[in-house]
Amino acid sequence: MDDKTLIESVCNHKRDTYLPTIVKFQNGSLGSGNADFSIVESNRDQRKRALVLAGQQIYMGDLQDSTEYNTYICLRNKSTNKVQIVPVQQSLLANNVYKQLEKKEQMPVLSKEHATKKLLKEFGSRKASRYVNNSEQMMVNVDVVRQDLDETVQNSTLNETNAEEDTLPEANVNNLEYLATIVPKFDKSATKVSEVYDVDDVVPRPLLDRLDEEAKVVYSTPVESLPIESEYLRDCLKRIQAKEIASKQDFLHIKLIIYMDALQTLIGLRSRQLKKVELSGITEKVENDIVQRFADPKVAKSFTRTTYSTEKALTHFIVLALLISEKYEVDMNVLSRTLRTTKDRIKSYAHIVNARPKTRSDVLSLRLPSTVPALSTSNRFQRKK
């Protein structure tokens, strides 16, 4: 019987008295040193809390005293092997600094989208910063603003067209060498419309291969969030995004649309220095290629835009518009609004890229080069001196 433990006493659990308290610290344990323990009661809500003062730190926590059950511990005297059963309560203590922080005025928490934009603007690359600024500017009623701007610019451009007729790109009918520099390479002996142009001759294949990631991002991003202003190009993207499964050809068309967006910016430029402007809001890869290929090589100052650059961009834009169409057709009215120029001008440039209007229609259709009539002597295309 000597090895058996004897219960000497059992203390009653009284709700109206303070009981021994087992405390645990939320973020660790109490180190060496003196600490003062006390129990406090709030006058406001009568909640009882345990408080430990250790040096300059204050730890507080609610007393966990359930009304449904009592908690007891056994205290054994090793020498007598007798135990006392004592009621206890528990408390989980946290540093009071957390309470102080909660009382302070909280800074507004940015959403994930706003936080990302803020980081991109402050620490992102030049391209990322411009993209964020453009996105913020587009958060107004885009449709209304775009319509007003289009109407204003359209009227202004049409009024200027006649006055600037002398500066519009024209080439001598016999100047085949010059035409070859502004028109994408095409197969004069083609027997099928699909064989007239090779995409690689319009947009370099190495560049297209490097646009895989950008094409995937554009495909998965809502059109309204893309830095593309042209309604025509947006509609082309929407048709691709509406498909359940995008084909390899669809992703190629997305890459061409990205390129067309930069060409459209070039066509509408007033600045003569291409290096000082942003042509593409999506990728610098396209921007750098266009600056290299469309700057006038006859000008001593590098990367200079002239009427040669605008003319070359026009022909390439028209060809790409035909290539991304299912039937190699495009409406002249759409091109006129998109490029902010007259239908007659679109028609003249379409002629030199083997596209002619369908009978009694404003729809341009790609033709076999062998069936396209020669340029009339009144249609002159030559480099301006």
PDB file of all heavy atoms in Angstrom, residues 258-293:
ATOM      1  N   ILE A 258      -0.687  42.671 -82.576  1.00  0.00           N
ATOM      2  CA  ILE A 258       0.232  43.454 -81.724  1.00  0.00           C
ATOM      3  C   ILE A 258       1.126  44.328 -82.605  1.00  0.00           C
ATOM      4  O   ILE A 258       1.378  45.503 -82.299  1.00  0.00           O
ATOM      5  CB  ILE A 258       1.091  42.513 -80.856  1.00  0.00           C
ATOM      6  CG1 ILE A 258       0.213  41.746 -79.864  1.00  0.00           C
ATOM      7  CG2 ILE A 258       2.166  43.303 -80.114  1.00  0.00           C
ATOM      8  CD1 ILE A 258       0.961  40.687 -79.066  1.00  0.00           C
ATOM      9  N   TYR A 259       1.585  43.763 -83.698  1.00  0.00           N
ATOM     10  CA  TYR A 259       2.437  44.509 -84.626  1.00  0.00           C
ATOM     11  C   TYR A 259       1.644  45.630 -85.303  1.00  0.00           C
ATOM     12  O   TYR A 259       2.134  46.751 -85.459  1.00  0.00           O
ATOM     13  CB  TYR A 259       3.003  43.551 -85.680  1.00  0.00           C
ATOM     14  CG  TYR A 259       4.264  44.038 -86.352  1.00  0.00           C
ATOM     15  CD1 TYR A 259       5.509  43.770 -85.807  1.00  0.00           C
ATOM     16  CD2 TYR A 259       4.216  44.758 -87.538  1.00  0.00           C
ATOM     17  CE1 TYR A 259       6.684  44.206 -86.419  1.00  0.00           C
ATOM     18  CE2 TYR A 259       5.380  45.205 -88.158  1.00  0.00           C
ATOM     19  CZ  TYR A 259       6.613  44.921 -87.595  1.00  0.00           C
ATOM     20  OH  TYR A 259       7.767  45.362 -88.195  1.00  0.00           O
ATOM     21  N   MET A 260       0.408  45.337 -85.687  1.00  0.00           N
ATOM     22  CA  MET A 260      -0.444  46.341 -86.342  1.00  0.00           C
ATOM     23  C   MET A 260      -0.732  47.514 -85.411  1.00  0.00           C
ATOM     24  O   MET A 260      -0.815  48.665 -85.852  1.00  0.00           O
ATOM     25  CB  MET A 260      -1.750  45.693 -86.806  1.00  0.00           C
ATOM     26  CG  MET A 260      -1.577  44.685 -87.926  1.00  0.00           C
ATOM     27  SD  MET A 260      -3.091  43.758 -88.264  1.00  0.00           S
ATOM     28  CE  MET A 260      -4.114  45.048 -88.992  1.00  0.00           C
ATOM     29  N   ASP A 261      -0.891  47.227 -84.136  1.00  0.00           N
ATOM     30  CA  ASP A 261      -1.146  48.296 -83.174  1.00  0.00           C
ATOM     31  C   ASP A 261       0.015  49.284 -83.154  1.00  0.00           C
ATOM     32  O   ASP A 261      -0.194  50.506 -83.099  1.00  0.00           O
ATOM     33  CB  ASP A 261      -1.357  47.687 -81.787  1.00  0.00           C
ATOM     34  CG  ASP A 261      -1.498  48.741 -80.702  1.00  0.00           C
ATOM     35  OD1 ASP A 261      -2.440  49.544 -80.767  1.00  0.00           O
ATOM     36  OD2 ASP A 261      -0.651  48.755 -79.787  1.00  0.00           O
ATOM     37  N   ALA A 262       1.244  48.774 -83.219  1.00  0.00           N
ATOM     38  CA  ALA A 262       2.410  49.654 -83.238  1.00  0.00           C
ATOM     39  C   ALA A 262       2.505  50.415 -84.557  1.00  0.00           C
ATOM     40  O   ALA A 262       2.871  51.598 -84.584  1.00  0.00           O
ATOM     41  CB  ALA A 262       3.679  48.835 -83.004  1.00  0.00           C
ATOM     42  N   LEU A 263       2.147  49.750 -85.658  1.00  0.00           N
ATOM     43  CA  LEU A 263       2.155  50.432 -86.957  1.00  0.00           C
ATOM     44  C   LEU A 263       1.140  51.567 -86.983  1.00  0.00           C
ATOM     45  O   LEU A 263       1.398  52.643 -87.539  1.00  0.00           O
ATOM     46  CB  LEU A 263       1.840  49.431 -88.078  1.00  0.00           C
ATOM     47  CG  LEU A 263       2.926  48.422 -88.439  1.00  0.00           C
ATOM     48  CD1 LEU A 263       2.429  47.488 -89.541  1.00  0.00           C
ATOM     49  CD2 LEU A 263       4.199  49.124 -88.897  1.00  0.00           C
ATOM     50  N   GLN A 264      -0.015  51.334 -86.385  1.00  0.00           N
ATOM     51  CA  GLN A 264      -1.037  52.380 -86.337  1.00  0.00           C
ATOM     52  C   GLN A 264      -0.521  53.608 -85.581  1.00  0.00           C
ATOM     53  O   GLN A 264      -0.769  54.748 -85.993  1.00  0.00           O
ATOM     54  CB  GLN A 264      -2.303  51.848 -85.666  1.00  0.00           C
ATOM     55  CG  GLN A 264      -3.413  52.885 -85.569  1.00  0.00           C
ATOM     56  CD  GLN A 264      -4.621  52.361 -84.821  1.00  0.00           C
ATOM     57  OE1 GLN A 264      -4.764  51.166 -84.606  1.00  0.00           O
ATOM     58  NE2 GLN A 264      -5.498  53.263 -84.423  1.00  0.00           N
ATOM     59  N   THR A 265       0.198  53.360 -84.491  1.00  0.00           N
ATOM     60  CA  THR A 265       0.783  54.474 -83.744  1.00  0.00           C
ATOM     61  C   THR A 265       1.783  55.229 -84.602  1.00  0.00           C
ATOM     62  O   THR A 265       1.820  56.468 -84.594  1.00  0.00           O
ATOM     63  CB  THR A 265       1.474  53.958 -82.466  1.00  0.00           C
ATOM     64  OG1 THR A 265       0.529  53.217 -81.684  1.00  0.00           O
ATOM     65  CG2 THR A 265       2.015  55.111 -81.638  1.00  0.00           C
ATOM     66  N   LEU A 266       2.595  54.507 -85.356  1.00  0.00           N
ATOM     67  CA  LEU A 266       3.583  55.136 -86.225  1.00  0.00           C
ATOM     68  C   LEU A 266       2.908  55.996 -87.291  1.00  0.00           C
ATOM     69  O   LEU A 266       3.343  57.118 -87.575  1.00  0.00           O
ATOM     70  CB  LEU A 266       4.452  54.061 -86.885  1.00  0.00           C
ATOM     71  CG  LEU A 266       5.418  54.533 -87.993  1.00  0.00           C
ATOM     72  CD1 LEU A 266       6.379  55.574 -87.461  1.00  0.00           C
ATOM     73  CD2 LEU A 266       6.169  53.352 -88.583  1.00  0.00           C
ATOM     74  N   ILE A 267       1.837  55.495 -87.874  1.00  0.00           N
ATOM     75  CA  ILE A 267       1.139  56.226 -88.932  1.00  0.00           C
ATOM     76  C   ILE A 267       0.580  57.548 -88.409  1.00  0.00           C
ATOM     77  O   ILE A 267       0.548  58.555 -89.112  1.00  0.00           O
ATOM     78  CB  ILE A 267       0.010  55.352 -89.524  1.00  0.00           C
ATOM     79  CG1 ILE A 267       0.630  54.146 -90.252  1.00  0.00           C
ATOM     80  CG2 ILE A 267      -0.870  56.156 -90.483  1.00  0.00           C
ATOM     81  CD1 ILE A 267      -0.376  53.099 -90.661  1.00  0.00           C
ATOM     82  N   GLY A 268       0.147  57.560 -87.162  1.00  0.00           N
ATOM     83  CA  GLY A 268      -0.439  58.778 -86.600  1.00  0.00           C
ATOM     84  C   GLY A 268       0.558  59.700 -85.938  1.00  0.00           C
ATOM     85  O   GLY A 268       0.160  60.727 -85.367  1.00  0.00           O
ATOM     86  N   LEU A 269       1.843  59.382 -86.006  1.00  0.00           N
ATOM     87  CA  LEU A 269       2.854  60.196 -85.330  1.00  0.00           C
ATOM     88  C   LEU A 269       3.039  61.559 -85.989  1.00  0.00           C
ATOM     89  O   LEU A 269       2.857  61.713 -87.188  1.00  0.00           O
ATOM     90  CB  LEU A 269       4.203  59.470 -85.331  1.00  0.00           C
ATOM     91  CG  LEU A 269       4.472  58.436 -84.239  1.00  0.00           C
ATOM     92  CD1 LEU A 269       5.891  57.913 -84.373  1.00  0.00           C
ATOM     93  CD2 LEU A 269       4.269  59.032 -82.857  1.00  0.00           C
ATOM     94  N   ARG A 270       3.407  62.531 -85.160  1.00  0.00           N
ATOM     95  CA  ARG A 270       3.836  63.837 -85.655  1.00  0.00           C
ATOM     96  C   ARG A 270       5.323  64.051 -85.378  1.00  0.00           C
ATOM     97  O   ARG A 270       5.965  64.866 -86.012  1.00  0.00           O
ATOM     98  CB  ARG A 270       3.022  64.939 -84.984  1.00  0.00           C
ATOM     99  CG  ARG A 270       1.560  64.957 -85.424  1.00  0.00           C
ATOM    100  CD  ARG A 270       1.447  65.336 -86.895  1.00  0.00           C
ATOM    101  NE  ARG A 270       0.066  65.339 -87.344  1.00  0.00           N
ATOM    102  CZ  ARG A 270      -0.533  64.324 -87.947  1.00  0.00           C
ATOM    103  NH1 ARG A 270       0.159  63.193 -88.156  1.00  0.00           N
ATOM    104  NH2 ARG A 270      -1.779  64.404 -88.338  1.00  0.00           N
ATOM    105  N   SER A 271       5.840  63.311 -84.399  1.00  0.00           N
ATOM    106  CA  SER A 271       7.255  63.433 -84.075  1.00  0.00           C
ATOM    107  C   SER A 271       8.104  62.807 -85.171  1.00  0.00           C
ATOM    108  O   SER A 271       7.734  61.789 -85.757  1.00  0.00           O
ATOM    109  CB  SER A 271       7.541  62.732 -82.739  1.00  0.00           C
ATOM    110  OG  SER A 271       8.934  62.671 -82.491  1.00  0.00           O
ATOM    111  N   ARG A 272       9.250  63.399 -85.419  1.00  0.00           N
ATOM    112  CA  ARG A 272      10.138  62.868 -86.459  1.00  0.00           C
ATOM    113  C   ARG A 272      11.158  61.891 -85.887  1.00  0.00           C
ATOM    114  O   ARG A 272      11.760  61.138 -86.651  1.00  0.00           O
ATOM    115  CB  ARG A 272      10.861  64.029 -87.169  1.00  0.00           C
ATOM    116  CG  ARG A 272       9.934  64.884 -88.018  1.00  0.00           C
ATOM    117  CD  ARG A 272      10.716  65.989 -88.720  1.00  0.00           C
ATOM    118  NE  ARG A 272      11.708  65.478 -89.620  1.00  0.00           N
ATOM    119  CZ  ARG A 272      11.488  65.077 -90.875  1.00  0.00           C
ATOM    120  NH1 ARG A 272      10.244  65.120 -91.361  1.00  0.00           N
ATOM    121  NH2 ARG A 272      12.460  64.647 -91.643  1.00  0.00           N
ATOM    122  N   GLN A 273      11.340  61.893 -84.579  1.00  0.00           N
ATOM    123  CA  GLN A 273      12.315  60.994 -83.962  1.00  0.00           C
ATOM    124  C   GLN A 273      11.603  59.775 -83.363  1.00  0.00           C
ATOM    125  O   GLN A 273      10.874  59.890 -82.383  1.00  0.00           O
ATOM    126  CB  GLN A 273      13.108  61.716 -82.880  1.00  0.00           C
ATOM    127  CG  GLN A 273      14.486  62.183 -83.320  1.00  0.00           C
ATOM    128  CD  GLN A 273      15.358  61.056 -83.846  1.00  0.00           C
ATOM    129  OE1 GLN A 273      15.525  60.033 -83.202  1.00  0.00           O
ATOM    130  NE2 GLN A 273      15.911  61.234 -85.037  1.00  0.00           N
ATOM    131  N   LEU A 274      11.792  58.607 -83.965  1.00  0.00           N
ATOM    132  CA  LEU A 274      11.118  57.396 -83.513  1.00  0.00           C
ATOM    133  C   LEU A 274      11.624  56.920 -82.157  1.00  0.00           C
ATOM    134  O   LEU A 274      10.893  56.246 -81.423  1.00  0.00           O
ATOM    135  CB  LEU A 274      11.309  56.283 -84.556  1.00  0.00           C
ATOM    136  CG  LEU A 274      10.675  56.535 -85.922  1.00  0.00           C
ATOM    137  CD1 LEU A 274      10.950  55.358 -86.852  1.00  0.00           C
ATOM    138  CD2 LEU A 274       9.180  56.760 -85.789  1.00  0.00           C
ATOM    139  N   LYS A 275      12.854  57.253 -81.823  1.00  0.00           N
ATOM    140  CA  LYS A 275      13.413  56.792 -80.553  1.00  0.00           C
ATOM    141  C   LYS A 275      12.798  57.504 -79.356  1.00  0.00           C
ATOM    142  O   LYS A 275      12.911  57.049 -78.223  1.00  0.00           O
ATOM    143  CB  LYS A 275      14.934  57.009 -80.544  1.00  0.00           C
ATOM    144  CG  LYS A 275      15.731  55.908 -81.209  1.00  0.00           C
ATOM    145  CD  LYS A 275      15.671  54.616 -80.391  1.00  0.00           C
ATOM    146  CE  LYS A 275      16.582  53.550 -80.957  1.00  0.00           C
ATOM    147  NZ  LYS A 275      16.525  52.297 -80.175  1.00  0.00           N
ATOM    148  N   LYS A 276      12.119  58.626 -79.599  1.00  0.00           N
ATOM    149  CA  LYS A 276      11.587  59.420 -78.497  1.00  0.00           C
ATOM    150  C   LYS A 276      10.124  59.110 -78.192  1.00  0.00           C
ATOM    151  O   LYS A 276       9.531  59.742 -77.330  1.00  0.00           O
ATOM    152  CB  LYS A 276      11.733  60.908 -78.821  1.00  0.00           C
ATOM    153  CG  LYS A 276      13.178  61.373 -78.945  1.00  0.00           C
ATOM    154  CD  LYS A 276      13.240  62.860 -79.237  1.00  0.00           C
ATOM    155  CE  LYS A 276      14.691  63.333 -79.354  1.00  0.00           C
ATOM    156  NZ  LYS A 276      14.779  64.789 -79.641  1.00  0.00           N
ATOM    157  N   VAL A 277       9.543  58.171 -78.901  1.00  0.00           N
ATOM    158  CA  VAL A 277       8.117  57.879 -78.713  1.00  0.00           C
ATOM    159  C   VAL A 277       7.930  56.399 -78.399  1.00  0.00           C
ATOM    160  O   VAL A 277       8.788  55.569 -78.693  1.00  0.00           O
ATOM    161  CB  VAL A 277       7.299  58.259 -79.968  1.00  0.00           C
ATOM    162  CG1 VAL A 277       7.341  59.750 -80.211  1.00  0.00           C
ATOM    163  CG2 VAL A 277       7.800  57.501 -81.193  1.00  0.00           C
ATOM    164  N   GLU A 278       6.787  56.103 -77.815  1.00  0.00           N
ATOM    165  CA  GLU A 278       6.427  54.714 -77.527  1.00  0.00           C
ATOM    166  C   GLU A 278       5.447  54.250 -78.597  1.00  0.00           C
ATOM    167  O   GLU A 278       4.360  54.805 -78.750  1.00  0.00           O
ATOM    168  CB  GLU A 278       5.780  54.597 -76.149  1.00  0.00           C
ATOM    169  CG  GLU A 278       5.407  53.172 -75.809  1.00  0.00           C
ATOM    170  CD  GLU A 278       4.647  53.086 -74.487  1.00  0.00           C
ATOM    171  OE1 GLU A 278       3.827  53.982 -74.235  1.00  0.00           O
ATOM    172  OE2 GLU A 278       4.880  52.124 -73.746  1.00  0.00           O
ATOM    173  N   LEU A 279       5.826  53.240 -79.340  1.00  0.00           N
ATOM    174  CA  LEU A 279       4.978  52.739 -80.419  1.00  0.00           C
ATOM    175  C   LEU A 279       4.063  51.616 -79.949  1.00  0.00           C
ATOM    176  O   LEU A 279       2.950  51.475 -80.452  1.00  0.00           O
ATOM    177  CB  LEU A 279       5.852  52.246 -81.584  1.00  0.00           C
ATOM    178  CG  LEU A 279       6.747  53.309 -82.246  1.00  0.00           C
ATOM    179  CD1 LEU A 279       7.587  52.683 -83.346  1.00  0.00           C
ATOM    180  CD2 LEU A 279       5.904  54.444 -82.817  1.00  0.00           C
ATOM    181  N   SER A 280       4.529  50.809 -79.024  1.00  0.00           N
ATOM    182  CA  SER A 280       3.738  49.678 -78.542  1.00  0.00           C
ATOM    183  C   SER A 280       3.625  49.731 -77.028  1.00  0.00           C
ATOM    184  O   SER A 280       4.622  49.876 -76.329  1.00  0.00           O
ATOM    185  CB  SER A 280       4.383  48.352 -78.962  1.00  0.00           C
ATOM    186  OG  SER A 280       3.696  47.248 -78.381  1.00  0.00           O
ATOM    187  N   GLY A 281       2.383  49.615 -76.540  1.00  0.00           N
ATOM    188  CA  GLY A 281       2.164  49.559 -75.106  1.00  0.00           C
ATOM    189  C   GLY A 281       2.235  48.150 -74.563  1.00  0.00           C
ATOM    190  O   GLY A 281       2.015  47.927 -73.373  1.00  0.00           O
ATOM    191  N   ILE A 282       2.524  47.180 -75.436  1.00  0.00           N
ATOM    192  CA  ILE A 282       2.540  45.777 -75.030  1.00  0.00           C
ATOM    193  C   ILE A 282       3.955  45.233 -74.900  1.00  0.00           C
ATOM    194  O   ILE A 282       4.296  44.577 -73.922  1.00  0.00           O
ATOM    195  CB  ILE A 282       1.728  44.925 -76.029  1.00  0.00           C
ATOM    196  CG1 ILE A 282       0.257  45.359 -76.013  1.00  0.00           C
ATOM    197  CG2 ILE A 282       1.844  43.437 -75.705  1.00  0.00           C
ATOM    198  CD1 ILE A 282      -0.609  44.634 -77.005  1.00  0.00           C
ATOM    199  N   THR A 283       4.792  45.492 -75.891  1.00  0.00           N
ATOM    200  CA  THR A 283       6.141  44.933 -75.836  1.00  0.00           C
ATOM    201  C   THR A 283       7.120  45.826 -76.580  1.00  0.00           C
ATOM    202  O   THR A 283       6.796  46.390 -77.630  1.00  0.00           O
ATOM    203  CB  THR A 283       6.177  43.516 -76.439  1.00  0.00           C
ATOM    204  OG1 THR A 283       7.540  43.076 -76.539  1.00  0.00           O
ATOM    205  CG2 THR A 283       5.547  43.468 -77.808  1.00  0.00           C
ATOM    206  N   GLU A 284       8.315  45.940 -76.037  1.00  0.00           N
ATOM    207  CA  GLU A 284       9.375  46.706 -76.688  1.00  0.00           C
ATOM    208  C   GLU A 284       9.988  45.941 -77.854  1.00  0.00           C
ATOM    209  O   GLU A 284      10.672  46.529 -78.679  1.00  0.00           O
ATOM    210  CB  GLU A 284      10.463  47.051 -75.669  1.00  0.00           C
ATOM    211  CG  GLU A 284      10.021  48.047 -74.614  1.00  0.00           C
ATOM    212  CD  GLU A 284      11.155  48.440 -73.686  1.00  0.00           C
ATOM    213  OE1 GLU A 284      12.286  47.960 -73.928  1.00  0.00           O
ATOM    214  OE2 GLU A 284      10.919  49.207 -72.747  1.00  0.00           O
ATOM    215  N   LYS A 285       9.744  44.638 -77.914  1.00  0.00           N
ATOM    216  CA  LYS A 285      10.295  43.845 -79.012  1.00  0.00           C
ATOM    217  C   LYS A 285       9.760  44.361 -80.348  1.00  0.00           C
ATOM    218  O   LYS A 285      10.513  44.551 -81.307  1.00  0.00           O
ATOM    219  CB  LYS A 285       9.943  42.375 -78.831  1.00  0.00           C
ATOM    220  CG  LYS A 285      10.490  41.743 -77.559  1.00  0.00           C
ATOM    221  CD  LYS A 285       9.968  40.332 -77.378  1.00  0.00           C
ATOM    222  CE  LYS A 285      10.392  39.729 -76.046  1.00  0.00           C
ATOM    223  NZ  LYS A 285       9.804  38.386 -75.835  1.00  0.00           N
ATOM    224  N   VAL A 286       8.444  44.570 -80.404  1.00  0.00           N
ATOM    225  CA  VAL A 286       7.824  45.082 -81.631  1.00  0.00           C
ATOM    226  C   VAL A 286       8.288  46.503 -81.892  1.00  0.00           C
ATOM    227  O   VAL A 286       8.601  46.883 -83.034  1.00  0.00           O
ATOM    228  CB  VAL A 286       6.285  45.015 -81.510  1.00  0.00           C
ATOM    229  CG1 VAL A 286       5.627  45.799 -82.638  1.00  0.00           C
ATOM    230  CG2 VAL A 286       5.819  43.567 -81.535  1.00  0.00           C
ATOM    231  N   GLU A 287       8.325  47.289 -80.846  1.00  0.00           N
ATOM    232  CA  GLU A 287       8.733  48.695 -80.975  1.00  0.00           C
ATOM    233  C   GLU A 287      10.136  48.807 -81.567  1.00  0.00           C
ATOM    234  O   GLU A 287      10.380  49.589 -82.492  1.00  0.00           O
ATOM    235  CB  GLU A 287       8.670  49.349 -79.598  1.00  0.00           C
ATOM    236  CG  GLU A 287       8.952  50.823 -79.585  1.00  0.00           C
ATOM    237  CD  GLU A 287       8.721  51.399 -78.210  1.00  0.00           C
ATOM    238  OE1 GLU A 287       7.555  51.446 -77.775  1.00  0.00           O
ATOM    239  OE2 GLU A 287       9.710  51.804 -77.566  1.00  0.00           O
ATOM    240  N   ASN A 288      11.060  48.023 -81.054  1.00  0.00           N
ATOM    241  CA  ASN A 288      12.446  48.088 -81.545  1.00  0.00           C
ATOM    242  C   ASN A 288      12.547  47.642 -82.994  1.00  0.00           C
ATOM    243  O   ASN A 288      13.304  48.210 -83.782  1.00  0.00           O
ATOM    244  CB  ASN A 288      13.344  47.210 -80.664  1.00  0.00           C
ATOM    245  CG  ASN A 288      13.463  47.748 -79.247  1.00  0.00           C
ATOM    246  OD1 ASN A 288      13.287  48.933 -79.009  1.00  0.00           O
ATOM    247  ND2 ASN A 288      13.757  46.873 -78.300  1.00  0.00           N
ATOM    248  N   ASP A 289      11.780  46.617 -83.368  1.00  0.00           N
ATOM    249  CA  ASP A 289      11.814  46.138 -84.752  1.00  0.00           C
ATOM    250  C   ASP A 289      11.307  47.206 -85.713  1.00  0.00           C
ATOM    251  O   ASP A 289      11.905  47.428 -86.771  1.00  0.00           O
ATOM    252  CB  ASP A 289      10.962  44.864 -84.870  1.00  0.00           C
ATOM    253  CG  ASP A 289      10.949  44.319 -86.292  1.00  0.00           C
ATOM    254  OD1 ASP A 289      11.895  43.609 -86.670  1.00  0.00           O
ATOM    255  OD2 ASP A 289       9.988  44.628 -87.040  1.00  0.00           O
ATOM    256  N   ILE A 290      10.216  47.863 -85.352  1.00  0.00           N
ATOM    257  CA  ILE A 290       9.630  48.877 -86.236  1.00  0.00           C
ATOM    258  C   ILE A 290      10.556  50.083 -86.363  1.00  0.00           C
ATOM    259  O   ILE A 290      10.712  50.646 -87.458  1.00  0.00           O
ATOM    260  CB  ILE A 290       8.237  49.290 -85.716  1.00  0.00           C
ATOM    261  CG1 ILE A 290       7.255  48.133 -85.926  1.00  0.00           C
ATOM    262  CG2 ILE A 290       7.739  50.550 -86.405  1.00  0.00           C
ATOM    263  CD1 ILE A 290       5.855  48.409 -85.443  1.00  0.00           C
ATOM    264  N   VAL A 291      11.178  50.475 -85.266  1.00  0.00           N
ATOM    265  CA  VAL A 291      12.117  51.604 -85.329  1.00  0.00           C
ATOM    266  C   VAL A 291      13.254  51.291 -86.293  1.00  0.00           C
ATOM    267  O   VAL A 291      13.677  52.146 -87.084  1.00  0.00           O
ATOM    268  CB  VAL A 291      12.672  51.915 -83.924  1.00  0.00           C
ATOM    269  CG1 VAL A 291      13.838  52.892 -84.005  1.00  0.00           C
ATOM    270  CG2 VAL A 291      11.572  52.498 -83.038  1.00  0.00           C
ATOM    271  N   GLN A 292      13.745  50.063 -86.260  1.00  0.00           N
ATOM    272  CA  GLN A 292      14.838  49.671 -87.147  1.00  0.00           C
ATOM    273  C   GLN A 292      14.401  49.580 -88.600  1.00  0.00           C
ATOM    274  O   GLN A 292      15.108  50.040 -89.509  1.00  0.00           O
ATOM    275  CB  GLN A 292      15.406  48.310 -86.694  1.00  0.00           C
ATOM    276  CG  GLN A 292      16.085  48.321 -85.339  1.00  0.00           C
ATOM    277  CD  GLN A 292      17.437  49.015 -85.374  1.00  0.00           C
ATOM    278  OE1 GLN A 292      18.016  49.198 -86.434  1.00  0.00           O
ATOM    279  NE2 GLN A 292      17.923  49.408 -84.212  1.00  0.00           N
ATOM    280  N   ARG A 293      13.210  49.011 -88.848  1.00  0.00           N
ATOM    281  CA  ARG A 293      12.794  48.715 -90.221  1.00  0.00           C
ATOM    282  C   ARG A 293      12.099  49.871 -90.925  1.00  0.00           C
ATOM    283  O   ARG A 293      12.119  49.949 -92.157  1.00  0.00           O
ATOM    284  CB  ARG A 293      11.858  47.512 -90.223  1.00  0.00           C
ATOM    285  CG  ARG A 293      12.496  46.211 -89.755  1.00  0.00           C
ATOM    286  CD  ARG A 293      11.491  45.083 -89.773  1.00  0.00           C
ATOM    287  NE  ARG A 293      10.981  44.840 -91.113  1.00  0.00           N
ATOM    288  CZ  ARG A 293       9.762  44.405 -91.387  1.00  0.00           C
ATOM    289  NH1 ARG A 293       8.911  44.187 -90.407  1.00  0.00           N
ATOM    290  NH2 ARG A 293       9.385  44.184 -92.630  1.00  0.00           N
TER     291      ARG A 293
END
